Every structure is written in C-alpha cells, then in structure tokens.
Amino acid sequence: MIIAKPKPIEEIIETTKEFKRILVVGCDGCVTVCEAGGRKEAQIVGSALRMYFKQQGTDVKVDEMSLTRQCDRPYVAQLEEKIKHYDAVLSMACGAGVQFLAETYKDKPILPGVNTCFIGVTEARGEWTERCQACGDCILASTGGICPIARCSKRMANGPCGGSANGKCEVNKEIDCGWHLIYERLKELGQLDRFEKPTGPRNWNTSRDGGPRKVVKEVSQP
Amino acid sequence: MTYPTNLKIIKLPCSGRVDIIHLMEAVEKGADGVIVAGCLEGNCHYQVGNLRAKKRVAYVRELLDKIGIGGERVAMYNLSAGEGSRFAEIAREMTEKIRQLGPSPLRGSGGNRSPRPGTEVAA
C-alpha cells in the first residue's frame, strides 16, 4: 500500500489560515491503514485546527468527513454537493488523491494534509517499511523475491557493492544491505548461480525516466 | 478524602480505551484540564493499556503546545483503584495547577462556557 505520514500541524495551519471554511477530507484507503490520513486522523486535524483558530480569535468553520477512496471518480464525486459550502479542502489522502480532487473540483484550492512516502508494508504496529519503487519492470523472480531497486540504497542491478559490511548498508548502519538479503535468500533457495550471470543495464523507461506513466487494460475498458 | 467538585468523572474499563480524539474533544469542548488516571505501570489488567494511554497523552500534550492551547492542561497519573486519598490529592493538585493557568483559552467567548473551571477525568 501507499505509506504516508501526517504533515506537521504548523505546516497545515500555514496553508489553511487564509480560508474561512475548511473541509478536512480523509481517505479510507491506504492512509487509513498507515494511520496518516483516515477518518480518525482527519478528526484529530479538524479538532486541532478549530482550537487553533478559535484561540486566535478568528471565526473559521472546520468540518471533517472521509471518502472510501480519493483515487476513484465515483467516490470523489460524492463531494460535489458538500464542497460548495467550503473555501478550501485539506485532503488527507496520498498525492494521487489530492491531485484527483484538484482536477475534479477546479475552482477549489485542495491542500495536502500528509506527506506521501513510499509503497510499503506494515512491519509492526505503528511501523511501516518500503518494499517497492514502482519501476514498472519487476525482476523479483531473479532476486529471491527481494527487490534491489527498493531495498538497495543505490538501486544497483548487480550487488552487493563495497559498502556492504556485516549485512548492513554504508548509507546507514540501520539499513539492511538489500543485496546481502538477496544473497542469503538465494542461498536458501539453492539459486546462487544467479550471481554467475550479471544483469545487463536496466531499461528505466518503464520507471520515471519515461515521464508520467499510464496503464491501459483494453479488455476492462467500456 | 474530599476532592474538588469541579471534576467530571468519565469511567472507562481501562485507560487504554482513551484515544487521542477523546482528549482533543474534551479540550475543544471547553474542559480547562484533563486527567487520565491509569493503573500503576506494570499493573495493567489488560497488560499495556496504561502505557498506550501514556503515549497518547504525550502526543496530545505536544499537539496542544503546537496550537497554542498549552499541553500542560492534559496530564496522565498512575494510581491503583485502592488509592482513594491519592486520587483526591491528584485532583486537588491538578485543580490548583489549572487555576494557576487560568481558564481554557477556548472558553473566552461564549459557546461552551461553564460556571466554574471544569476538569475531566478519565480512568
């Protein structure tokens, strides 16, 4: 899922303070699971903003609600009636949700309430870690199910590099060396021959180097 | 054993039930202070409820500081169910602290004004 973290309240105050009627919109998707921008977090931000503005003596209306997803048109359309009564929307969704609201409601300022971080997993309660960089050309079949693009700090296609020591990365000793993990896993699987044929240069066109991407599945189209 | 009458007690099965939004709402609705009274650390019937409450109280205190309300209006205390006199002492202590801080800045203009300083307690 998409992992995000809440923006500092000071930053949210800074971007919302020029408005008189603010709607905080949570998203029930990924950001609910990573406890950054779901209904609960929207309520907390809404409450904090109301208290801040009241204590400043400014008359600002702040309400909260949440949408099933902010990255699908039918759910985004559910805002249509309500949004008319507000000057700005603070979207607690990932960057995709914020942009989808902005392109749907062209006359409303849509402000981000979270910082979108990465595609990852729930490592433990309250802890999320990165697993995928959405490079568009998955090579997990040849790397023991461990991604060198997401897990190696240098995104090396052939590793480990000389900076790997005791299974840790030179970038930060807290980070596991992705290629060390791959080596250990391939050893376990009896696939160490993978290291005998180095991978050629990657084609990064499927990643960000090819510009903004698009996926079309014709059979699913109307 | 007497404690100030301005306290409104909210009973909960465990301090671990207290969520961030509950503390925020109490302050937003005009409470001058909020005490979360949990069991002694290491003595939680549900193992870690009071430790969870402790983290949430710390989170809310920080947030209230950032928005200019003052985090010291929310406090966590640990005591056992048998310590009635300690509870009265805590209630007096918190009431005195809140009196020094003055009424909540949110009760300044109409709305949720109550006749005397209110402190909510969740246990």
Side-chain angles (χ1 to χ4, degrees), chain A residues 63-140:
Chain A
D63 291 320
E64 312 97 45
M65 64 170 294
S66 194
L67 294 174
T68 305
R69 280 197 295 277
Q70 291 190 26
C71 53
D72 266 317
R73 290 201 195 283
Y75 300 119
V76 171
Q78 289 171 354
L79 266 186
E80 204 170 338
E81 271 310 302
K82 204 169 171 114
I83 203 169
K84 292 175 188 159
H85 308 291
Y86 298 90
D87 305 322
V89 171
L90 179 74
S91 165
M92 302 293 288
C94 69
V98 175
Q99 291 182 61
F100 221 32
L101 287 195
E103 55 195 79
T104 309
Y105 302 104
K106 294 187 166 51
D107 60 337
K108 295 284 175 202
I110 313 288
L111 314 161
V114 304
N115 286 326
T116 308
C117 302
F118 50 79
I119 300 176
V121 297
T122 308
E123 193 78 61
R125 180 81 203 271
E127 187 182 323
W128 298 273
T129 50
E130 183 164 19
R131 286 293 186 281
C132 177
Q133 293 225 327
C135 72
D137 186 14
C138 193
I139 52 165
L140 285 168

Side-chain angles (χ1 to χ4, degrees), chain A residues 138-176:
Chain A
C138 193
I139 52 165
L140 285 168
S142 63
T143 57
I146 295 162
C147 177
I149 312 297
R151 309 289 297 277
C152 164
S153 302
K154 301 175 184 177
R155 305 185 194 191
M156 290 172 66
N158 295 285
C161 72
S164 175
N166 303 318
K168 298 292 177 187
C169 173
E170 68 175 339
V171 167
N172 181 338
K173 294 282 173 261
E174 304 267 295
I175 303 171
D176 288 329

Side-chain angles (χ1 to χ4, degrees), chain A residues 6 9-10 13 40 43-44 47-48 50-52 54-55, chain B residues 19-21 24 27-28 63-64 66-69 105-106:
Chain A
I9 193 71
E10 301 94 320
I13 288 170
K40 215 167 163 176
Q43 285 172 342
I44 294 166
S47 175
R50 274 192 297 276
M51 283 196 256
Y52 171 78
K54 189 169 181 193
Q55 168 276 136
Chain B
D19 209 336
I20 293 164
I21 192 66
M24 295 292 281
V27 178
E28 191 187 337
L63 189 52
L64 291 177
K66 286 178 181 169
I67 59 173
I69 305 294
L106 298 170

Side-chain angles (χ1 to χ4, degrees), chain B residues 16-85:
Chain B
R17 179 64 186 91
V18 179
D19 209 336
I20 293 164
I21 192 66
H22 300 141
L23 300 173
M24 295 292 281
E25 271 187 17
V27 178
E28 191 187 337
K29 288 182 175 168
D32 296 319
V34 185
I35 297 169
V36 177
C39 293
L40 294 165
E41 287 189 15
N43 271 359
C44 177
H45 184 71
Y46 304 101
Q47 302 200 356
V48 291
N50 50 1
L51 301 179
R52 285 186 178 152
K54 185 184 181 180
K55 283 186 187 173
R56 292 167 192 161
V57 167
Y59 183 95
V60 170
R61 283 172 68 106
E62 200 185 322
L63 189 52
L64 291 177
D65 272 337
K66 286 178 181 169
I67 59 173
I69 305 294
E72 66 274 25
R73 290 183 181 277
V74 178
M76 170 108 193
Y77 286 93
N78 297 87
L79 71 166
S80 87
E83 292 180 282
S85 55

